[in-house]
Amino acid sequence: MNRDSRTPVADVMSTPLETISPSATVADAARTMRDHDISALVVTTSPPSIVTSTDVLDAVADGRAPADTRVDEVMTASVESVPPDLLIEEVAAMMTSLGIKHLPVVEGDDYVGMVSSTDVTAQLA
């Protein structure tokens, strides 16, 4: 078991960060996630937003046509982010308290990666 309480997000985050335009379709988002084997994309809005595989699934389940539905119609706007030097335990607490599964990793003004609850769980297990 790895219980290293000094593990920063940078050591477990996924890189490079994949992004998508808010005007892209839900079908485009699904293809990008599939092609990169990921479950979330940062949407290039200001401030940045996120679209997840759950958002895509919900849109389809609600009867929305993926090819006709824009990402900005289903995304979560103005998401939280974390710096790469934040410790994994702090990220775990943040995800738990906010009820979220993905956090973009930001260094200065640059988005450098994504950390997921799966990344955190694997590190803390």
Side-chain angles (χ1 to χ4, degrees):
M1 260 192 314
N2 185 350
R3 299 240 183 238
D4 179 7
S5 64
R6 305 308 304 166
T7 302
V9 170
D11 288 357
V12 300
M13 69 184 184
S14 298
T15 58
L17 181 69
E18 297 297 330
T19 62
I20 195 161
S21 166
S23 62
T25 66
V26 167
D28 295 331
R31 274 190 296 278
T32 301
M33 285 185 238
R34 180 197 62 202
D35 292 350
H36 294 279
D37 194 26
I38 56 176
S39 58
L41 301 167
V42 168
V43 184
T44 55
T45 57
S46 185
S49 302
I50 193 170
V51 64
T52 68
S53 56
T54 301
D55 297 326
V56 171
L57 182 63
D58 287 347
V60 172
D62 289 344
R64 300 174 95 168
D68 298 328
T69 304
R70 289 170 41 126
V71 166
D72 60 4
E73 296 174 49
V74 300
M75 69 186 190
T76 301
S78 302
V79 295
E80 297 290 330
S81 62
V82 294
D85 59 348
L86 192 66
L87 299 178
I88 288 298
E89 288 80 6
E90 295 171 292
V91 172
M94 189 175 178
M95 288 178 159
T96 300
S97 68
L98 295 174
I100 56 178
K101 296 180 181 177
H102 299 89
L103 285 167
V105 181
V106 179
E107 190 165 34
D109 291 334
D110 296 325
Y111 282 76
V112 296
M114 180 80 74
V115 63
S116 71
S117 56
T118 303
D119 299 328
V120 172
T121 301
Q123 182 64 32
L124 295 176

